[in-house]
Amino acid sequence: MTTIDKNDVVTLSVSKVYKGTQTTLVQVDQAPNTSETMLGSGTFEVGKSYLVAANEGTIMICGYSGESDIPGLLDLFEQAF
């Protein structure tokens, strides 16, 4: 993850696209503080790596996206795609 701006827009450097349009950068909104979060710390943090699932431009959380070193998450992505 490269940056978070003052409006909580996160810029991610993309190293692999499992499905969809190939790109090198994406921008997403930081998920609001809710009971459902990404695996790991729950929010994007500068310098960390993530596996992110999205549907129609919305990040899928609660078990679908999270820090890339979460046990089992990479296996989930590899099996799904």
Side-chain angles (χ1 to χ4, degrees):
M1 206 276 294
T2 57
T3 62
I4 302 174
D5 74 12
K6 65 182 178 182
N7 296 316
D8 285 336
V9 174
V10 177
T11 301
L12 300 160
S13 176
V14 178
S15 60
K16 182 174 183 175
V17 175
Y18 286 88
K19 185 175 180 181
T21 305
Q22 299 295 312
T23 188
T24 57
L25 287 176
V26 295
Q27 289 186 313
V28 298
D29 290 329
Q30 177 80 276
N33 292 330
T34 65
S35 61
E36 296 180 348
T37 62
M38 292 191 310
L39 297 171
S41 67
T43 59
F44 290 107
E45 296 177 23
V46 174
K48 289 192 174 184
S49 296
Y50 297 89
L51 289 166
V52 178
N55 184 29
E56 297 183 12
T58 301
I59 295 174
M60 299 171 68
I61 54 177
C62 198
Y64 294 99
S65 300
E67 294 173 24
S68 61
D69 59 354
I70 296 295
L73 188 57
L74 179 57
D75 291 337
L76 177 68
F77 271 70
E78 296 290 341
Q79 290 174 14
F81 305 105

